Amino acid sequence: MTEPQPQHSWRFRQALLLPALAIAVLTAYFFLSNLPGRYDKDWVHLWTGGKMVVTGHGSDLYNPQLHHEILLETYAGEVPEEVWPLRNQRLGVFFYPPPAAFYYAAIAWLPRGVGCGVNACLCVVFAAWNAWLLRDLTGGKVSWAAGTLVILAFPPFFANYALGQNAMLSMTVVVTAWWLAERDRELLAGMLIGLFVCKPNWLAAVGWIPLVHGRWRLLAGIAAGGAATILATVAVIGTEPFIAYVDLFRQVAAMHELPGYVLRLKCSSLGMFRKWFGVGHTADVLGWGCAGLVGLITVWLVRGRWKPGTVEGRTAMACCLMAALWVNPHLNDYDLMLMAAGAAVMVADFGSLARRSKCIAVAVLLFCYAADPWDHSWSLANVLPLPSFALLAMWAWFAVRTSRIARTAA
């Protein structure tokens, strides 16, 4: 009779397998880094903002004519229609606040395709960095290799990678700030969140979390980081771009009313109700109402749960981050990367769950990972927006877990 294999032998093989898989996937992404150079309609818009600074046009950052001239040059005189749709004749192609142009200026001195490849490699680096942070945030229950696979296997990651989008940078800001706050470096964590003056919708989406928990140093850091970023930008390109952005922001806020708005990609509360009721007053009222309801439930559940280094604390934070995604007024499917952080927290807690809860957790995780590609492949995407349902499912999981952990502690 064959003797059963020792438990430590399986653990040893698992310790070798996960890092090998993670390194294999990381390597594959690095070798595919030229792919975004062929599919870069999102990247070129962001690169153009940086190019305006590099070419000395920072003071006229939102000039559509100059944007078009840069695109004509990079595309050898013929700009593809998907890169320059009708609305861009009025709005241009760069919609971010002026400080964001400096991030892209660091890459925009490179040719468009090369810069896009660099951006793709940075996406992979950010994935590995976030996995390392999540290892610490989960008390080592999710290894670096497992965390890397959780992030790289999440379908919105490839959308960021292939389109040249920047949701991995947003995820890195949030997760790094969370990690710093867990180590009682809240002022520095807040200064990092303050960089979201480059993405005002994200600043609004996460800015309420420290307020709910009464983390005043964190809030002070947000104010200091945001102010320092704005002042540094003004010192280099002046105040004219900020004045111009005020008008552009009003137009971008109403972009859902313009032709060419891709409603299918929107995944937050507003996006879901606009799919159901069309763009208009009814959808906005219901969308903001649902966002407010989720926000209020989250506030009620997580108050007093700021407990760094504990299961209760990280569960409450994950609940806050899922609610932040839901209330974000402009959330595309590739912006869902924080759900990968939520998945890591779910995996970390898996061993402590009862059998029934484990089955539910597996179902939620499978749904979250399948929702986006499934949504892209069927005709009912506007009737049954699966990424929105997946986001709600993960938020509901953490809301129930937060409530149960609180009752157990009481």
Side-chain angles (χ1 to χ4, degrees), residues 12-172:
F12 177 73
R13 288 188 303 186
Q14 187 183 40
L16 292 178
L17 178 63
L18 282 177
L21 284 173
I23 291 169
V25 176
L26 281 168
T27 303
Y29 271 110
F30 271 118
F31 275 108
L32 286 170
S33 63
N34 66 329
L35 174 64
R38 297 194 294 271
Y39 189 35
D40 61 357
K41 67 184 182 67
D42 286 11
W43 159 257
V44 72
H45 294 167
L46 305 171
W47 174 84
T48 300
K51 194 70 171 178
M52 290 287 288
V53 176
V54 169
T55 56
H57 297 294
S59 60
D60 204 12
L61 186 59
Y62 301 106
N63 186 323
Q65 183 178 349
L66 291 176
H67 292 178
H68 193 248
E69 290 176 5
I70 288 174
L71 293 174
L72 282 172
E73 182 180 353
T74 190
Y75 283 106
E78 187 174 351
V79 182
E81 185 178 347
E82 62 269 19
V83 172
W84 189 261
L86 186 62
R87 71 184 184 192
N88 293 123
Q89 295 179 15
R90 183 174 65 174
L91 301 179
V93 298
F94 187 73
F95 305 142
Y96 286 75
F102 283 93
Y103 169 75
Y104 288 102
I107 309 176
W109 62 271
L110 295 168
R112 172 179 51 86
V114 176
C116 195
V118 171
N119 186 69
C121 290
L122 287 174
C123 279
V124 180
V125 172
F126 290 148
W129 170 251
N130 280 286
W132 186 83
L133 296 179
L134 288 168
R135 183 200 64 180
D136 275 13
L137 289 168
T138 58
K141 291 185 177 180
V142 176
S143 67
W144 171 83
T148 301
L149 292 174
V150 164
I151 295 171
L152 295 181
F154 192 49
F157 177 84
F158 190 76
N160 280 276
Y161 182 87
L163 294 172
Q165 271 293 343
N166 54 26
M168 282 307 300
L169 180 60
S170 301
M171 179 186 184
T172 301

Side-chain angles (χ1 to χ4, degrees), residues 212-260:
V212 167
H213 291 290
R215 313 312 298 182
W216 309 118
R217 281 191 301 155
L218 195 52
L219 287 167
I222 293 174
T229 303
I230 291 172
L231 289 173
T233 307
V234 169
V236 176
I237 61 174
T239 58
E240 293 88 348
F242 288 90
I243 296 170
Y245 185 72
V246 172
D247 180 60
L248 179 66
F249 181 80
R250 286 197 294 264
Q251 298 183 66
V252 170
M255 192 178 289
H256 56 277
E257 300 173 358
L258 298 176

